[in-house]
Amino acid sequence: MKILIVGGGIAGSTLAFALRRAGLDPIVAEARSDVEDTGGAFLALAPNGVNGLLALGLGDVVGAAGGFELSGLDFHNARGRRIAELPGEDDLRVYGARGVVLRRARLHAALSARAQEHGATFLFGARLVELRARQDGWSAVFDDGRTVDADVVVGADGIWSAVRRLTWPEAPVPSYTGIVDCGGWAQVHLPDSVRQQMYFGHRAFFGYAVKDSVAYWFTNVTREDEPARSELDGLDQDAWITTIRQLHAQDPDPVRAVLAAADGSLGAWPVYDMPELAAWNTSNVCLIGDAAHAVSPSSGQGASLAIEDAAALSRHLRDGPDTEAALAAFVRERKARAEKIVRFGRQIGDRKVASAAGNLFRDLTLGLFLRMGAKATQEQYGYRVPHLPDPPHDTASGVGRA
Ligand SMILES: Cc1cc2nc3c(=O)[nH]c(=O)nc-3n(C[C@H](O)[C@H](O)[C@H](O)COP(=O)(O)OP(=O)(O)OC[C@H]3O[C@@H](n4cnc5c(N)ncnc54)[C@H](O)[C@@H]3O)c2cc1C
């Protein structure tokens, strides 16, 4: 079976690795010219995502991606008072792993390297522009004129998926959530964080965690109208950090201190999520990761779901009686879980957007909201990817396991 994976991000690279482990032979076509990706700053991988990597024998990428463990959240109001907490001290015992913070570019590079070491073929600079139907398969056409024939096409090409658009032209498009996410790193004189620190600031939401005197920070700037890509691509970095400092000028000191020290390039990403799709698969095309179910970053689950998808699809393609049955079984296993988490992420994001207007109400109700969210968190964190048989030796993952 010739499997073409379009997109070599988190989902595509993990799937390529897992398929090689399952004895299959995928080709990955990635639009970027090489694996270096400076975009995206950092991301948090939840215990379920870490467990997914460990189950696949990919635990070592956490160290390669500069990962450090971080469990739990403290929420503060705009005066700096702690108004709620989500304890994470028991995560290792309860879920079998702790969450980690990773540098996104290094995570991409590490996953891609591991897949290639295990024999997966990667074509870089290959942006899919057309899928031509052949008898029993597809001919994929790329923007540089290359073509690849395949029996199965997996769309792991992210939120703006070309595979989705080409296969289901009527499918809904991602919807803008009213938040522009931005963040970066700052050299600070603060102790290492045990939990991530979140602030409902006067005018914007802010979060940070410190490891080895480096603060990993982000802010959610609310903006009603969707910014044009050209506006963000040409962003004047000095003007942007000045704007962000002004937004948080009245917030308590750890926030201002982190932003005062912020330097280097800042990312700015309008946040989208995907309305539910009627279908993720046909008899020989399937979507995974953000292409199928992009979830707001507020959930902290997008990367973890992408890893879970990759593990599940590789297992079904290995075990299914045929491709069509394997893809259908994959979608049956994954769709309800992913869509529930997308809805959860949207609720959290809406709360951040509303927060500037409703500070008092939010302070009073956040604890209750978090308790209600605790069940959802347990469902998210508690998911375990079944192990593939005969995993290779998991070299020094550096990640705790129960
Ligand atoms: C600001 C921000 C913060 C986030 N924070 C977190 C977080 O803390 N925790 C978390 O779990 N998730 C977070 N996420 C979400 C997470 O990044 C995504 O869910 C995850 O990257 C999805 O992986 P993916 O492989 O499906 O898509 P992607 O990582 O987007 O990979 C898609 C790949 O496909 C390639 N591609 C695109 N189009 C084509 C084409 N036509 N042909 C070939 N290749 C193509 C792209 O170049 C890319 O490499 C965040 C997202 C954003 C925007």
Side-chain angles (χ1 to χ4, degrees):
M1 180 179 13
K2 197 164 174 195
I3 302 170
L4 172 65
I5 302 170
V6 181
I10 296 171
S13 297
T14 307
L15 177 64
F17 176 87
L19 287 173
R20 290 297 299 145
R21 288 266 328 264
L24 296 162
D25 200 12
I27 296 181
V28 181
E30 165 54 48
R32 278 177 283 114
S33 55
D34 59 35
V35 79
E36 276 311 313
D37 171 15
T38 51
F42 60 92
L43 56 78
L45 205 57
N48 48 309
V50 174
N51 274 327
L53 289 178
L54 289 165
L56 288 168
L58 280 169
D60 61 320
V61 304
V62 171
F68 62 92
E69 291 184 344
L70 196 67
S71 294
L73 303 166
D74 286 326
F75 290 93
H76 308 263
N77 67 13
R79 290 186 303 283
R81 185 166 67 83
R82 195 169 76 166
I83 51 174
E85 63 175 344
L86 197 65
E89 288 71 16
D90 275 351
D91 283 0
L92 182 59
R93 183 181 59 78
V94 176
Y95 302 117
R98 290 200 171 95
V100 292
V101 173
L102 302 158
R103 297 201 177 213
R104 184 188 301 257
R106 289 201 207 157
L107 176 64
H108 275 188
L111 288 172
S112 173
R114 295 284 268 115
Q116 290 177 71
E117 281 157 25
H118 276 70
T121 304
F122 275 63
L123 308 175
F124 288 104
R127 179 176 293 280
L128 180 80
V129 289
E130 194 184 340
L131 282 174
R132 286 184 198 142
R134 289 182 309 120
Q135 198 182 8
D136 298 331
W138 296 97
S139 194
V141 183
F142 298 94
D143 60 352
D144 59 1
R146 273 181 284 186
T147 59
V148 172
D149 290 346
D151 304 312
V152 187
V153 174
V154 179
D157 48 350
I159 188 162
W160 300 104
S161 170
V163 174
R164 185 180 68 227
R165 192 183 64 247
L166 294 168
T167 311
W168 294 274
E170 73 292 351
V173 293
S175 65
Y176 173 60
T177 60
I179 292 176
V180 178
D181 201 347
C182 70
W185 293 280
Q187 205 74 38
V188 290
H189 299 290
L190 291 169
D192 284 359
S193 311
V194 177
R195 298 176 180 173
Q196 196 159 15
Q197 302 298 309
M198 306 292 205
Y199 285 79
F200 288 94
H202 285 93
R203 294 165 67 197
F205 187 86
F206 187 88
Y208 77 93
V210 178
K211 176 69 178 171
D212 297 335
S213 302
V214 175
Y216 295 69
W217 65 269
F218 71 90
T219 178
N220 293 150
V221 179
T222 57
R223 171 165 156 167
E224 219 168 288
D225 56 315
E226 181 179 346
R229 285 189 195 199
S230 54
E231 186 187 338
L232 297 177
D233 287 348
L235 210 59
D236 173 338
Q237 297 277 314
D238 291 338
W240 186 223
I241 187 67
T242 303
T243 304
I244 290 168
R245 286 181 185 137
Q246 282 165 356
L247 268 178
H248 288 286
Q250 296 168 322
D251 292 338
D253 195 35
V255 177
R256 282 181 290 130
V258 169
L259 286 176
D263 58 6
S265 69
L266 298 178
W269 308 274
V271 172
Y272 299 86
D273 64 14
M274 275 298 297
E276 285 175 20
L277 299 176
W280 290 6
N281 70 301
T282 67
S283 60
N284 55 9
V285 177
C286 188
L287 303 177
I288 67 168
D290 274 11
H293 49 65
V295 48
S296 159
S298 299
S299 72
Q301 280 288 327
S304 297
L305 286 177
I307 292 164
E308 290 179 10
D309 281 354
L313 182 56
S314 61
R315 180 164 38 82
H316 286 295
L317 282 170
R318 182 197 60 186
D319 297 343
D322 57 52
T323 307
E324 184 169 2
L327 300 186
F330 162 76
V331 174
R332 268 198 308 279
E333 179 179 323
R334 298 292 305 156
K335 200 162 185 279
R337 171 173 168 80
E339 288 175 350
K340 192 170 179 182
I341 295 175
V342 173
R343 291 194 293 275
F344 177 75
R346 197 171 297 141
Q347 279 178 347
I348 300 176
D350 288 349
R351 223 177 154 78
K352 290 177 177 171
V353 174
S355 94
N359 283 343
L360 181 61
F361 177 72
R362 188 217 44 236
D363 286 9
L364 292 172
T365 58
L366 182 64
L368 176 65
F369 178 76
L370 285 178
R371 283 194 293 283
M372 282 163 51
K375 184 165 174 288
T377 303
Q378 279 164 14
E379 276 177 24
Q380 290 164 19
Y381 289 7
Y383 178 89
R384 294 289 183 101
V385 163
H387 281 243
L388 288 177
D390 306 316
H393 179 60
D394 185 3
T395 46
S397 73
V399 185
R401 283 217 91 170

